[in-house]
Amino acid sequence: MKPNALRTLAAGLATASLALSLHAQPASKLSDGVVRLGVLTDMSGVYSDLAGPGSLIAAQMAVEDFGGKVLGAPVDVISADHQNKPDLAANTARQWFDTRQVDAIFDLVSSPISLAVMEIAKQKNKIAFVNGSGTSRVTNDSCNANTVHTSWDSYSQSYSLVDAIAKQGGDSWFFVTLDNAGGQSVEKDGIDAVKAAGGKVVGSVRFPLNTPDFSSYVLQAQASKAKVIGLIASGADTVNAVKAINEFGLTKQQKVAALVTFLPEIHSLGLDAAQGLILNEAFYWDTDADTRKFSERFFAKAKKMPDSVHAGVYWSVTNYLRAVQAAGTDDTATVMKKMKDTPVNDLYARHGAVREDGRLIYDMHLVQVKKPSESKKPWDYYNVLATIPAATAFQPLAKSGCSLVKKP
């Protein structure tokens, strides 16, 4: 081959090589050429309706809506059932990070699960999104730079609700509380709100997870003569507790504030049993055109409307992928910084932002369960009483116990 031809061939190969290199450059900034997301949830237990298969569907929807790729690389979603066992959840997370190259874990319903997994994520320098746990410890004494808390927490769920009822004359309270980190955290914030409003707590009782019979707890609440019963339960426990409350006729003499109650529990109870309950919600499917459009698509796959955990998983996956895309890498510190630097305002997080403590703040909704006569269509369960602005719905940074928060 002549020298000129050789030079031409070499130049052509170099140009092709450079083109291929430039084309592959975005994916080369990823740790292994694949963005792998893990949904670690309760697939079969007490929280399976609240989170479970619906959380996996929400994650898959988010990936599909993003186009299935980020920075030219495919996005893979895997899942596992933690069975509400913190040891199993921690071991699964460790295995995912070590052998499956998982970049971020989502859902983590139940407080003991979230606290266990976010510690593993910290150790492995990966990201944990807490979508289904309510303990405020996630963004207080247990906070770390690798965790984002998107779901309700004990402050947002209880403080404003208790404060509103206490100021309307509900000045004596008895709490019926799930005996775990999340339940205790909600109870503490509820007690603080009662006292701040000038009321008093006359007593409390705690029950274990998966309690089938609430008779003894409900009778103690009835005997307390408190004006308001603060029920701190979720999943099947909420359903069983409200049934017992109705059976013993407590609502004839006392108000019931459902501090940790969500759409699936209302659906399971039915409006006859749940009517009149007042609660806080991070997300309601029938809020506006955007929430209805998303929820109808979710319903087509899950055969039920999404709750705040499902919508929170969708938000988390979407915003994680956006951050990776904008940052040009899946490096944990870079992605976390991008999320904290980027305000959000979407169907889940209105007027939202991820704060330095990892807390996603957004507007909350104070709602009351409708009477059966008020419901006009399936899943039409709430009257929205008020919108609680993001700035006041969550614990102020000034009160934070998170080491990441810079104090004045």
Side-chain angles (χ1 to χ4, degrees):
M1 188 176 291
K2 295 181 179 180
N4 287 341
L6 286 173
R7 283 195 294 271
T8 301
L9 177 60
L13 290 173
T15 301
S17 176
L18 176 61
L20 288 172
S21 175
L22 290 173
H23 180 73
Q25 187 175 3
S28 69
K29 294 183 179 180
L30 299 174
S31 56
D32 63 349
V34 176
V35 174
R36 185 163 289 111
L37 314 178
V39 177
L40 187 53
T41 186
D42 176 7
M43 285 291 190
S44 55
V46 65
Y47 300 124
S48 59
D49 198 17
L50 177 68
S55 290
L56 178 58
I57 289 171
Q60 292 168 336
M61 286 178 62
V63 172
E64 290 169 5
D65 291 349
F66 203 80
K69 292 185 177 182
V70 60
L71 298 178
V75 181
D76 185 27
V77 179
I78 64 174
S79 66
D81 185 353
H82 59 55
Q83 300 177 31
N84 291 305
K85 298 175 181 178
D87 289 347
L88 176 60
N91 289 336
T92 300
R94 189 177 293 107
Q95 180 188 30
W96 278 0
F97 291 143
D98 288 345
T99 67
R100 302 291 300 275
Q101 288 76 52
V102 167
D103 298 290
I105 293 180
F106 302 82
D107 192 299
L108 304 179
V109 66
S110 141
S111 297
I113 300 298
S114 64
L115 293 172
V117 173
M118 60 188 278
E119 179 60 27
I120 302 299
K122 176 184 176 181
Q123 294 172 11
K124 303 297 182 179
N125 195 29
K126 300 294 185 178
I127 297 177
F129 286 87
V130 178
N131 305 118
S133 164
T135 176
S136 59
R137 290 185 59 194
V138 171
T139 51
N140 280 279
D141 63 292
S142 295
C143 77
N144 66 52
N146 296 51
T147 300
V148 179
H149 195 179
T150 71
S151 68
W152 62 280
D153 63 26
S154 57
Y155 188 99
S156 67
Q157 197 72 13
S158 66
Y159 199 97
S160 57
L161 174 62
V162 172
D163 180 67
I165 295 175
K167 288 178 177 177
Q168 293 174 0
D171 56 4
S172 64
W173 287 68
F174 185 97
F175 287 95
V176 180
T177 305
L178 173 63
D179 191 12
N180 71 4
Q184 294 166 26
S185 183
V186 172
E187 183 182 88
K188 179 185 180 300
D189 286 330
I191 290 172
D192 289 346
V194 171
K195 292 180 177 177
K200 62 181 179 180
V201 177
V202 300
S204 65
V205 64
R206 291 176 178 169
F207 62 88
L209 185 68
N210 289 322
T211 295
D213 186 359
F214 276 81
S215 299
S216 63
Y217 308 113
V218 167
L219 287 173
Q220 289 180 62
Q222 186 177 49
S224 74
K225 306 297 183 183
K227 292 181 181 178
V228 186
I229 299 168
L231 175 62
I232 302 172
S234 61
D237 286 332
T238 295
V239 174
N240 291 333
V242 173
K243 286 179 178 178
I245 286 169
N246 287 328
E247 179 182 350
F248 289 99
L250 270 66
T251 54
K252 296 177 181 178
Q253 302 294 330
Q254 297 162 296
K255 291 183 178 179
V256 178
L259 277 65
V260 191
T261 297
F262 304 95
L263 192 69
E265 289 93 60
I266 302 303
H267 183 70
S268 295
L269 284 164
L271 295 183
D272 281 329
Q275 62 182 303
L277 290 177
I278 299 175
L279 50 141
N280 278 352
E281 275 282 18
F283 173 87
Y284 180 44
W285 74 270
D286 201 20
T287 299
D288 57 29
D290 288 339
T291 59
R292 283 190 287 273
K293 182 178 179 181
F294 163 74
S295 299
E296 287 164 2
R297 290 174 52 223
F298 181 92
F299 185 90
K301 296 175 179 291
K303 307 308 177 187
K304 63 181 180 180
M305 286 301 180
D307 56 43
S308 58
V309 175
H310 303 141
V313 171
Y314 181 88
W315 182 94
S316 297
V317 172
T318 299
N319 282 270
Y320 173 76
L321 295 176
R322 284 176 179 168
V324 171
Q325 184 75 44
T329 177
D330 61 357
D331 173 71
T332 293
T334 307
V335 172
M336 287 295 297
K337 184 178 187 303
K338 181 60 67 174
M339 282 193 289
K340 291 182 178 181
D341 288 346
T342 307
V344 293
N345 190 29
D346 50 36
L347 63 88
Y348 178 76
R350 307 297 169 88
H351 308 106
V354 180
R355 298 190 313 197
E356 57 198 277
D357 59 349
R359 174 69 260 181
L360 172 67
I361 63 170
Y362 44 83
D363 296 346
M364 293 281 290
H365 307 293
L366 186 68
V367 303
Q368 185 170 33
V369 179
K370 290 182 174 183
K371 299 176 182 177
S373 60
E374 296 176 315
S375 180
K376 304 303 181 184
K377 55 187 175 182
W379 296 89
D380 177 23
Y381 294 156
Y382 293 157
N383 286 316
V384 179
L385 302 180
T387 297
I388 305 169
T392 57
F394 296 89
Q395 177 182 268
L397 282 175
K399 294 183 178 180
S400 176
C402 176
S403 61
L404 302 174
V405 176
K406 297 176 182 178
K407 298 294 184 179

